[in-house]
Amino acid sequence: MVALMLVVGACGSAPDGPTPAPATASIPTPGATARATSRPTASPTAKPTPAPTPIPTPALALTHCTGKRSSSVAGSLAGQSKNWSGYVAIASNSTVSCVEASWVQPTVACSKGRSEVSIWIGIGGAGAADPFLIQTGTDVSCLGGSADSTAWTEVYPHETEQVIPDMAVAAGDQFWAQVSVVGRQFTMTTANLTTHALNTRRVSVRGTHRLTAEWIVEAPATGCPNSCAILPLAKFGPVRFSAGLATIGGVLGTIDHWRHDTVTMYVGDSTVKRAAVSGLRGGEDFTVAWRHR
């Protein structure tokens, strides 16, 4: 996955986004006749077979971002991008050392052509002054009407997307991800909380400035970094981010604690939105909704 850094700040505020629709019940096909299922008559001497006691699956041991906690709120800007939608926290006169969040993997309706959508968190890469982007997330790639879903990590522009092996990705799965750094060593942790799969990757990166933290839904690009071409945005259901946190300059805060951009994805230089982002709820939760390919 590659990011195209086209965030432009402008004064303003983001409107509240759509509320995720509740799950709907299955509707029977018109004209179908329901069939009653006969129940066997219990034998007076039969003894019920005891059901096996389920063995609880242990919760994943996740290490969260740390720092001196602060609940103050900073100002926000409205940003535009051709391929990002979400939030970018800005490390003014400091550096980002940790970012994390959870999200629910959305449903994706694939058309016959090629389209794609990525959901990720990361450090850096939101401007020319900070070209390195260390990120991890999930992706759905559509081709010929079929979807291929993966979890991945990437150190841009040093490498292409690195698919995480043995981590299934399905609509409705809840993911948690974190990128942290100590010295030059970055740790990218990705967890499928639904299947209890966990992956941790460590990589040493020189020359990073760590000026921003991101929580993003992206229309990926191909051919980067030499000749980037943004792919059509796959039609995804609302993506719900929660527990968005970052540690900047040793202080741990929610997204709204930091000066931040509320980034809306537009089609080229037009006023047509590709993806819209809601306002923050509790300073750390928000939704990104599809609008246009």
Side-chain angles (χ1 to χ4, degrees):
M1 209 55 45
V2 286
L4 191 61
M5 292 71 75
L6 294 171
V7 177
V8 180
C11 292
S13 60
D16 287 338
T19 303
T24 56
S26 175
I27 301 174
T29 304
T33 302
R35 295 184 180 180
T37 303
S38 60
R39 297 183 180 181
T41 304
S43 169
T45 59
K47 295 182 179 180
T49 303
T53 302
I55 301 174
T57 304
L60 294 175
L62 305 177
T63 302
H64 294 279
C65 296
T66 60
K68 181 181 178 181
R69 191 68 189 241
S70 177
S71 58
S72 62
V73 177
S76 65
L77 300 173
Q80 296 183 11
S81 173
K82 295 179 181 179
N83 66 324
W84 284 14
S85 192
Y87 282 86
V88 176
I90 302 166
S92 302
N93 303 316
S94 191
T95 57
V96 180
S97 59
C98 190
V99 58
E100 68 176 72
S102 295
W103 65 86
V104 176
Q105 187 69 12
T107 57
V108 174
C110 288
S111 60
K112 292 183 179 180
R114 183 180 181 185
S115 61
E116 198 163 340
V117 61
S118 292
I119 306 157
W120 54 268
I121 53 99
I123 294 177
D130 192 10
F132 294 100
L133 173 56
I134 294 85
Q135 55 186 158
T136 183
T138 57
D139 175 85
V140 180
S141 178
C142 296
L143 186 61
S146 298
D148 181 26
S149 302
T150 57
W152 52 272
T153 64
E154 185 175 2
V155 179
Y156 179 86
H158 283 338
E159 65 182 21
T160 57
E161 164 194 322
Q162 305 294 301
V163 174
I164 298 173
D166 303 322
M167 182 170 285
V169 178
D173 287 355
Q174 184 175 9
F175 281 84
W176 175 87
Q178 180 192 88
V179 177
S180 62
V181 58
V182 176
R184 290 198 303 264
Q185 187 179 73
F186 286 83
T187 301
M188 293 165 279
T189 306
T190 315
N192 185 326
L193 303 181
T194 303
T195 65
H196 297 270
L198 178 68
N199 177 270
T200 300
R201 181 188 175 203
R202 294 180 176 87
V203 61
S204 181
V205 186
R206 293 171 178 261
T208 61
H209 299 297
R210 298 186 280 131
L211 302 179
T212 54
E214 296 91 19
W215 302 262
I216 297 294
V217 172
E218 179 187 1
T222 61
C224 292
N226 297 322
S227 179
C228 291
I230 301 173
L231 293 170
L233 181 63
K235 187 175 183 180
F236 61 90
V239 178
R240 304 188 303 273
F241 281 88
S242 60
L245 299 171
T247 303
I248 300 177
V251 176
L252 175 65
T254 55
I255 298 171
D256 69 348
H257 172 70
W258 316 104
R259 188 167 65 89
H260 57 275
D261 284 344
T262 306
V263 185
T264 301
M265 192 190 312
Y266 285 86
V267 178
D269 296 322
S270 72
T271 59
V272 178
K273 293 180 180 180
R274 300 186 81 189
V277 58
S278 75
L280 289 167
R281 297 179 291 274
E284 60 187 34
D285 301 348
F286 64 95
T287 301
V288 178
W290 183 90
R291 288 290 181 266
H292 195 280
R293 289 170 57 84

